[in-house]
Amino acid sequence: RFIINGGTIDNNSTGAVTVAGNAQTWNNNFTFAGTRDLNMGSGAVTLGNHVTITAAQSNLLVGGVIRDNGNNYNLTKSGAGVMTVSGSISNSGQTVVQQGTLS
């Protein structure tokens, strides 16, 4: 399990990186600095709170379903970068795009 409790994540390698398909829990707001694209893998994402993801640049890819288990948690996308979700977004709260692109 990959748990994010806030902070900044990045891929500053020489190319795109894919993380193994581990289940994830997003408990707090975080920033994807976006030096290079980052694929978070195909693991399901559980929202543990209202979460704002700031994708500053590049593309943050999420392959698994994003859910909140009926807790009405909001998912907000901010920042000029792109967040691509290839699974579904099935949180029961709102999904809001403040900046950039959510696809």
Side-chain angles (χ1 to χ4, degrees):
R1 180 165 289 277
F2 181 54
I3 299 171
I4 298 176
N5 290 319
T8 299
I9 60 174
D10 195 10
N11 168 21
N12 59 8
S13 69
T14 58
V17 168
T18 299
V19 178
N22 296 320
Q24 301 170 46
T25 303
W26 297 352
N27 288 324
N28 209 334
N29 304 336
F30 67 93
T31 297
F32 167 58
T35 301
R36 303 273 186 276
D37 290 355
L38 178 62
N39 186 331
M40 298 291 285
S42 60
V45 175
T46 301
L47 299 178
N49 206 335
H50 301 288
V51 175
T52 297
I53 295 141
T54 302
Q57 58 185 356
S58 294
N59 193 357
L60 178 65
L61 298 100
V62 180
V65 62
I66 299 174
R67 61 181 179 230
D68 68 355
N69 295 328
N71 289 307
N72 291 316
Y73 293 141
N74 297 335
L75 174 65
T76 303
K77 162 49 182 86
S78 186
V82 176
M83 182 173 160
T84 301
V85 179
S86 60
S88 62
I89 299 175
S90 63
N91 59 312
S92 53
Q94 295 182 341
T95 300
V96 177
V97 178
Q98 289 179 332
Q99 293 175 298
T101 302
L102 174 63
S103 65

